[in-house]
Amino acid sequence: MIVAVASGKGGVGKTTVAVNLALAAEEEVILLDSDVEEPNAHLLLRPEIEKETPVPLLVPVFHRERCTGCGKCIEVCAYHALALIGRELLIFDKMCHACGGCIYFCPEKALTEGERVIGILQEGRAGKVRFVQGRMSVGEALAVPVIKKLREKQGAHTIIDCPPGTSCPVIQAVKGADFCLVVTEPTPFGQHDLRLLIEMLRVLKVPAGVIINRADLGDEEVEEYCRQEGIPVLLKIPFDLEIARSFAAGVPFVARLPRWRQAFSDLWQRLKRKGVRA
Ligand code: SF4
Ligand code: SF4
């Protein structure tokens, strides 16, 4: 069972839900932190990191002596990552999406494949939770290839902590999941971003359920929207002093509050029974 945990915007408790669910599940689960620009699940889970693997991208390497200046590579590159000045080819690394088009179409074999490291995967464990996070290198802009590599680490029971929003990295993190838990808060902003995310999940054909965080603040609009759209509200987490204390201490609240361990364990069981596509 692959469960993605997503939110239309940051700061609504998505990572908290992902970590607490991983800790409350009965089976050994793999928690993938795919928020590769700023992974922070490790701050709550505190895993022992055992292994780091670079994530390379295959980018063009220019061989000036073979180039005739024909310009074919410039025509082919949809990302404007190349510029030709006479027979000198400039490659703008950060704009290259590693599609391989210029290498394939260069008639003189003046472009060959080289590696550029754009991030790392860090793997470890916290108790029975196997943990893997992706982290982009400083200054890199391409999150999708790092998340793609991270998804190769998923197993039979996997929870994916997604990046916030509805952009390409989120799509890469969510697609193919059996179910998506959408974490939101009961405010107009929360409802707006929830709508966008639900529309995206419908296009991806990933079934969804909602978790409302800080459920006793704000208004009823999120629940009304869920009712109208037939989206189940699976859990409501109140604005609770004990939960806030746990968060401030950097401790997942299922570790301190048995009733919440039970609530997340029940949620996991419910997802296993009903949430998975046939
Ligand atoms: S690999 Fe693709 S994106 Fe990169 S420079 Fe070549 S054509 Fe452009
Ligand atoms: S396609 Fe090859 S030969 Fe033509 S300009 Fe580009 S690198 Fe040079």
CSV table of all heavy atoms in Angstrom, one decimal, residues 161-204:
chain,number,residue,atom,x,y,z
A,161,ASP,N,5.8,11.5,2.2
A,161,ASP,CA,5.6,12.9,2.6
A,161,ASP,C,5.9,13.8,1.4
A,161,ASP,O,7.1,13.9,1.0
A,161,ASP,CB,6.6,13.2,3.8
A,161,ASP,CG,6.3,14.6,4.4
A,161,ASP,OD1,5.3,15.2,4.0
A,161,ASP,OD2,7.2,15.1,5.1
A,162,CYS,N,4.9,14.3,0.8
A,162,CYS,CA,5.0,15.1,-0.5
A,162,CYS,C,5.5,16.5,-0.2
A,162,CYS,O,5.2,17.1,0.8
A,162,CYS,CB,3.7,15.1,-1.2
A,162,CYS,SG,3.1,13.4,-1.6
A,163,PRO,N,6.0,17.1,-1.3
A,163,PRO,CA,6.2,18.6,-1.2
A,163,PRO,C,4.8,19.3,-1.1
A,163,PRO,O,3.8,18.7,-1.6
A,163,PRO,CB,6.9,18.9,-2.5
A,163,PRO,CG,7.3,17.7,-3.2
A,163,PRO,CD,6.4,16.6,-2.6
A,164,PRO,N,4.7,20.5,-0.6
A,164,PRO,CA,3.4,21.2,-0.6
A,164,PRO,C,3.1,21.8,-2.0
A,164,PRO,O,4.0,21.9,-2.8
A,164,PRO,CB,3.7,22.4,0.4
A,164,PRO,CG,5.2,22.6,0.4
A,164,PRO,CD,5.8,21.3,0.0
A,165,GLY,N,1.8,22.0,-2.2
A,165,GLY,CA,1.3,22.6,-3.4
A,165,GLY,C,0.8,21.7,-4.5
A,165,GLY,O,0.4,20.5,-4.1
A,166,THR,N,0.8,22.1,-5.7
A,166,THR,CA,0.3,21.3,-6.8
A,166,THR,C,1.2,21.3,-8.0
A,166,THR,O,0.7,21.1,-9.1
A,166,THR,CB,-1.1,21.8,-7.2
A,166,THR,OG1,-1.0,23.2,-7.4
A,166,THR,CG2,-2.2,21.5,-6.2
A,167,SER,N,2.5,21.5,-7.8
A,167,SER,CA,3.4,21.7,-9.0
A,167,SER,C,3.9,20.3,-9.4
A,167,SER,O,3.6,19.3,-8.8
A,167,SER,CB,4.5,22.6,-8.6
A,167,SER,OG,5.1,22.1,-7.5
A,168,CYS,N,4.8,20.3,-10.4
A,168,CYS,CA,5.4,19.1,-10.9
A,168,CYS,C,6.0,18.1,-9.9
A,168,CYS,O,5.8,16.9,-9.9
A,168,CYS,CB,6.5,19.4,-12.0
A,168,CYS,SG,5.8,20.3,-13.4
A,169,PRO,N,6.8,18.7,-8.9
A,169,PRO,CA,7.3,17.8,-7.9
A,169,PRO,C,6.2,17.0,-7.1
A,169,PRO,O,6.4,15.8,-6.8
A,169,PRO,CB,8.1,18.7,-6.9
A,169,PRO,CG,8.5,19.8,-7.8
A,169,PRO,CD,7.3,20.0,-8.8
A,170,VAL,N,5.1,17.7,-6.8
A,170,VAL,CA,4.0,17.0,-6.1
A,170,VAL,C,3.4,15.9,-7.0
A,170,VAL,O,3.2,14.8,-6.5
A,170,VAL,CB,2.9,18.0,-5.7
A,170,VAL,CG1,1.9,17.4,-4.9
A,170,VAL,CG2,3.5,19.2,-5.0
A,171,ILE,N,3.3,16.2,-8.3
A,171,ILE,CA,2.7,15.2,-9.2
A,171,ILE,C,3.7,13.9,-9.2
A,171,ILE,O,3.2,12.8,-9.1
A,171,ILE,CB,2.6,15.7,-10.6
A,171,ILE,CG1,1.5,16.8,-10.6
A,171,ILE,CG2,2.2,14.6,-11.6
A,171,ILE,CD1,1.3,17.6,-11.9
A,172,GLN,N,5.0,14.2,-9.2
A,172,GLN,CA,5.9,13.1,-9.3
A,172,GLN,C,5.8,12.3,-7.9
A,172,GLN,O,6.0,11.1,-7.9
A,172,GLN,CB,7.3,13.6,-9.5
A,172,GLN,CG,8.4,12.6,-9.6
A,172,GLN,CD,8.2,11.6,-10.7
A,172,GLN,OE1,7.9,12.0,-11.8
A,172,GLN,NE2,8.3,10.3,-10.5
A,173,ALA,N,5.6,13.0,-6.8
A,173,ALA,CA,5.5,12.3,-5.5
A,173,ALA,C,4.3,11.5,-5.4
A,173,ALA,O,4.2,10.5,-4.7
A,173,ALA,CB,5.7,13.3,-4.4
A,174,VAL,N,3.2,12.0,-6.0
A,174,VAL,CA,1.8,11.4,-5.7
A,174,VAL,C,1.4,10.3,-6.7
A,174,VAL,O,0.7,9.4,-6.4
A,174,VAL,CB,0.8,12.5,-5.7
A,174,VAL,CG1,-0.6,12.0,-5.8
A,174,VAL,CG2,0.9,13.3,-4.4
A,175,LYS,N,1.9,10.5,-8.0
A,175,LYS,CA,1.3,9.6,-9.0
A,175,LYS,C,1.6,8.1,-8.7
A,175,LYS,O,2.7,7.8,-8.3
A,175,LYS,CB,1.8,10.0,-10.4
A,175,LYS,CG,3.2,9.8,-10.7
A,175,LYS,CD,3.5,10.2,-12.2
A,175,LYS,CE,4.9,10.0,-12.5
A,175,LYS,NZ,5.4,10.5,-13.8
A,176,GLY,N,0.6,7.3,-9.0
A,176,GLY,CA,0.8,5.9,-8.8
A,176,GLY,C,0.5,5.5,-7.3
A,176,GLY,O,0.6,4.3,-7.0
A,177,ALA,N,0.3,6.4,-6.4
A,177,ALA,CA,0.0,6.1,-5.0
A,177,ALA,C,-1.4,5.4,-5.0
A,177,ALA,O,-2.3,5.7,-5.8
A,177,ALA,CB,0.0,7.3,-4.1
A,178,ASP,N,-1.6,4.6,-4.0
A,178,ASP,CA,-3.0,3.9,-3.9
A,178,ASP,C,-4.0,4.9,-3.2
A,178,ASP,O,-5.2,4.7,-3.5
A,178,ASP,CB,-2.8,2.7,-3.0
A,178,ASP,CG,-2.0,1.6,-3.6
A,178,ASP,OD1,-2.3,1.2,-4.7
A,178,ASP,OD2,-0.9,1.3,-3.0
A,179,PHE,N,-3.5,5.8,-2.4
A,179,PHE,CA,-4.4,6.7,-1.8
A,179,PHE,C,-3.6,8.0,-1.4
A,179,PHE,O,-2.4,7.9,-1.2
A,179,PHE,CB,-4.9,6.1,-0.5
A,179,PHE,CG,-6.1,6.7,0.1
A,179,PHE,CD1,-7.4,6.4,-0.4
A,179,PHE,CD2,-6.0,7.7,1.1
A,179,PHE,CE1,-8.5,7.1,0.1
A,179,PHE,CE2,-7.1,8.3,1.6
A,179,PHE,CZ,-8.4,8.0,1.1
A,180,CYS,N,-4.3,9.1,-1.3
A,180,CYS,CA,-3.6,10.3,-0.9
A,180,CYS,C,-4.4,10.9,0.3
A,180,CYS,O,-5.6,11.2,0.3
A,180,CYS,CB,-3.6,11.4,-2.0
A,180,CYS,SG,-2.7,12.9,-1.5
A,181,LEU,N,-3.7,11.1,1.4
A,181,LEU,CA,-4.2,11.8,2.6
A,181,LEU,C,-3.9,13.3,2.4
A,181,LEU,O,-2.8,13.7,2.3
A,181,LEU,CB,-3.6,11.3,3.9
A,181,LEU,CG,-3.9,10.0,4.4
A,181,LEU,CD1,-3.0,9.6,5.6
A,181,LEU,CD2,-5.4,9.9,4.8
A,182,VAL,N,-5.0,14.1,2.3
A,182,VAL,CA,-4.8,15.5,2.1
A,182,VAL,C,-5.0,16.2,3.4
A,182,VAL,O,-6.0,16.2,4.0
A,182,VAL,CB,-5.8,16.1,1.0
A,182,VAL,CG1,-5.5,17.6,0.8
A,182,VAL,CG2,-5.6,15.3,-0.3
A,183,VAL,N,-3.9,16.9,3.9
A,183,VAL,CA,-4.0,17.6,5.2
A,183,VAL,C,-4.3,19.0,4.9
A,183,VAL,O,-3.7,19.7,4.0
A,183,VAL,CB,-2.6,17.5,5.9
A,183,VAL,CG1,-2.7,18.1,7.3
A,183,VAL,CG2,-2.2,16.0,6.0
A,184,THR,N,-5.3,19.6,5.6
A,184,THR,CA,-5.7,21.0,5.4
A,184,THR,C,-6.1,21.6,6.8
A,184,THR,O,-6.1,20.9,7.8
A,184,THR,CB,-6.8,21.0,4.4
A,184,THR,OG1,-7.0,22.4,4.1
A,184,THR,CG2,-8.1,20.4,4.9
A,185,GLU,N,-6.4,22.8,6.7
A,185,GLU,CA,-6.9,23.5,7.9
A,185,GLU,C,-8.2,24.2,7.6
A,185,GLU,O,-8.4,24.6,6.4
A,185,GLU,CB,-5.9,24.4,8.5
A,185,GLU,CG,-5.3,25.4,7.6
A,185,GLU,CD,-4.2,26.3,8.1
A,185,GLU,OE1,-3.6,25.9,9.1
A,185,GLU,OE2,-3.9,27.3,7.6
A,186,PRO,N,-9.1,24.4,8.5
A,186,PRO,CA,-10.4,25.0,8.2
A,186,PRO,C,-10.4,26.5,8.1
A,186,PRO,O,-11.0,27.2,8.8
A,186,PRO,CB,-11.3,24.5,9.4
A,186,PRO,CG,-10.3,24.5,10.6
A,186,PRO,CD,-9.0,24.1,10.0
A,187,THR,N,-9.7,27.0,7.0
A,187,THR,CA,-9.7,28.4,6.8
A,187,THR,C,-10.0,28.6,5.3
A,187,THR,O,-9.9,27.6,4.5
A,187,THR,CB,-8.3,29.0,7.1
A,187,THR,OG1,-7.3,28.3,6.2
A,187,THR,CG2,-7.9,28.7,8.5
A,188,PRO,N,-10.3,29.8,4.9
A,188,PRO,CA,-10.5,30.1,3.4
A,188,PRO,C,-9.3,29.7,2.6
A,188,PRO,O,-9.4,29.1,1.5
A,188,PRO,CB,-10.8,31.6,3.4
A,188,PRO,CG,-11.4,31.9,4.7
A,188,PRO,CD,-10.7,31.0,5.7
A,189,PHE,N,-8.1,30.0,3.1
A,189,PHE,CA,-6.9,29.6,2.3
A,189,PHE,C,-6.7,28.1,2.2
A,189,PHE,O,-6.4,27.5,1.2
A,189,PHE,CB,-5.6,30.1,3.0
A,189,PHE,CG,-5.4,31.6,2.8
A,189,PHE,CD1,-5.1,32.5,3.8
A,189,PHE,CD2,-5.4,32.1,1.5
A,189,PHE,CE1,-4.9,33.8,3.6
A,189,PHE,CE2,-5.2,33.5,1.3
A,189,PHE,CZ,-4.9,34.3,2.3
A,190,GLY,N,-7.0,27.4,3.4
A,190,GLY,CA,-6.9,26.0,3.4
A,190,GLY,C,-7.9,25.4,2.4
A,190,GLY,O,-7.6,24.4,1.6
A,191,GLN,N,-9.1,25.9,2.3
A,191,GLN,CA,-10.1,25.4,1.4
A,191,GLN,C,-9.7,25.6,0.0
A,191,GLN,O,-9.9,24.7,-0.9
A,191,GLN,CB,-11.5,26.0,1.7
A,191,GLN,CG,-12.6,25.3,1.0
A,191,GLN,CD,-13.8,26.2,0.7
A,191,GLN,OE1,-13.8,27.4,1.1
A,191,GLN,NE2,-14.8,25.7,0.0
A,192,HIS,N,-9.2,26.8,-0.3
A,192,HIS,CA,-8.8,27.1,-1.7
A,192,HIS,C,-7.7,26.1,-2.2
A,192,HIS,O,-7.8,25.6,-3.3
A,192,HIS,CB,-8.3,28.6,-1.7
A,192,HIS,CG,-7.7,28.9,-3.0
A,192,HIS,ND1,-6.3,28.8,-3.3
A,192,HIS,CD2,-8.3,29.4,-4.2
A,192,HIS,CE1,-6.1,29.2,-4.6
A,192,HIS,NE2,-7.3,29.6,-5.1
A,193,ASP,N,-6.7,25.9,-1.4
A,193,ASP,CA,-5.6,25.0,-1.8
A,193,ASP,C,-6.1,23.6,-1.8
A,193,ASP,O,-5.6,22.8,-2.6
A,193,ASP,CB,-4.4,25.2,-0.8
A,193,ASP,CG,-3.8,26.6,-1.0
A,193,ASP,OD1,-4.0,27.2,-2.1
A,193,ASP,OD2,-3.3,27.2,0.0
A,194,LEU,N,-7.0,23.2,-0.9
A,194,LEU,CA,-7.6,21.9,-0.9
A,194,LEU,C,-8.2,21.6,-2.3
A,194,LEU,O,-8.0,20.5,-2.9
A,194,LEU,CB,-8.5,21.7,0.2
A,194,LEU,CG,-9.4,20.4,0.3
A,194,LEU,CD1,-8.5,19.2,0.5
A,194,LEU,CD2,-10.4,20.5,1.4
A,195,ARG,N,-9.0,22.5,-2.7
A,195,ARG,CA,-9.7,22.4,-4.0
A,195,ARG,C,-8.7,22.1,-5.1
A,195,ARG,O,-9.0,21.2,-5.9
A,195,ARG,CB,-10.5,23.7,-4.4
A,195,ARG,CG,-11.8,23.8,-3.9
A,195,ARG,CD,-12.4,25.2,-4.3
A,195,ARG,NE,-13.5,25.5,-3.5
A,195,ARG,CZ,-14.8,25.2,-3.9
A,195,ARG,NH1,-15.0,24.6,-5.0
A,195,ARG,NH2,-15.8,25.5,-3.1
A,196,LEU,N,-7.7,22.9,-5.2
A,196,LEU,CA,-6.7,22.7,-6.3
A,196,LEU,C,-6.1,21.3,-6.2
A,196,LEU,O,-5.9,20.6,-7.2
A,196,LEU,CB,-5.6,23.7,-6.2
A,196,LEU,CG,-6.0,25.2,-6.4
A,196,LEU,CD1,-4.8,26.1,-6.2
A,196,LEU,CD2,-6.5,25.4,-7.8
A,197,LEU,N,-5.7,20.9,-5.0
A,197,LEU,CA,-5.1,19.6,-4.8
A,197,LEU,C,-6.1,18.4,-5.2
A,197,LEU,O,-5.7,17.5,-5.9
A,197,LEU,CB,-4.6,19.4,-3.4
A,197,LEU,CG,-3.7,18.3,-3.1
A,197,LEU,CD1,-2.5,18.2,-4.1
A,197,LEU,CD2,-3.1,18.4,-1.7
A,198,ILE,N,-7.3,18.6,-4.8
A,198,ILE,CA,-8.3,17.5,-5.1
A,198,ILE,C,-8.5,17.4,-6.6
A,198,ILE,O,-8.6,16.3,-7.2
A,198,ILE,CB,-9.7,17.8,-4.4
A,198,ILE,CG1,-9.5,17.7,-2.9
A,198,ILE,CG2,-10.8,16.9,-4.9
A,198,ILE,CD1,-9.2,16.3,-2.4
A,199,GLU,N,-8.5,18.6,-7.3
A,199,GLU,CA,-8.6,18.6,-8.8
A,199,GLU,C,-7.4,17.9,-9.4
A,199,GLU,O,-7.6,17.1,-10.3
A,199,GLU,CB,-8.8,20.0,-9.3
A,199,GLU,CG,-10.2,20.5,-9.1
A,199,GLU,CD,-10.3,22.0,-9.4
A,199,GLU,OE1,-9.4,22.6,-10.2
A,199,GLU,OE2,-11.2,22.7,-8.8
A,200,MET,N,-6.3,18.1,-8.9
A,200,MET,CA,-5.0,17.5,-9.4
A,200,MET,C,-5.1,16.0,-9.2
A,200,MET,O,-4.8,15.2,-10.1
A,200,MET,CB,-3.8,18.1,-8.7
A,200,MET,CG,-2.5,17.6,-9.3
A,200,MET,SD,-1.1,17.9,-8.1
A,200,MET,CE,-1.2,16.4,-7.1
A,201,LEU,N,-5.6,15.6,-8.0
A,201,LEU,CA,-5.6,14.1,-7.7
A,201,LEU,C,-6.7,13.4,-8.6
A,201,LEU,O,-6.5,12.3,-8.9
A,201,LEU,CB,-6.0,13.9,-6.2
A,201,LEU,CG,-4.8,14.4,-5.2
A,201,LEU,CD1,-5.4,14.4,-3.8
A,201,LEU,CD2,-3.6,13.4,-5.3
A,202,ARG,N,-7.7,14.1,-8.9
A,202,ARG,CA,-8.7,13.5,-9.8
A,202,ARG,C,-8.1,13.3,-11.2
A,202,ARG,O,-8.4,12.2,-11.8
A,202,ARG,CB,-10.0,14.4,-9.9
A,202,ARG,CG,-10.8,14.2,-8.6
A,202,ARG,CD,-12.0,15.0,-8.6
A,202,ARG,NE,-12.8,14.7,-7.4
A,202,ARG,CZ,-13.7,15.5,-6.8
A,202,ARG,NH1,-13.9,16.8,-7.4
A,202,ARG,NH2,-14.3,15.2,-5.8
A,203,VAL,N,-7.3,14.2,-11.7
A,203,VAL,CA,-6.7,14.0,-13.0
A,203,VAL,C,-5.7,12.8,-12.9
A,203,VAL,O,-5.7,12.0,-13.8
A,203,VAL,CB,-5.9,15.3,-13.4
A,203,VAL,CG1,-5.1,15.0,-14.6
A,203,VAL,CG2,-6.9,16.4,-13.6
A,204,LEU,N,-5.0,12.7,-11.8
A,204,LEU,CA,-4.1,11.6,-11.6
A,204,LEU,C,-4.8,10.3,-11.2
A,204,LEU,O,-4.1,9.2,-11.1
A,204,LEU,CB,-3.1,11.9,-10.5
A,204,LEU,CG,-2.1,13.1,-10.8
A,204,LEU,CD1,-1.3,13.4,-9.6
A,204,LEU,CD2,-1.2,12.8,-12.0
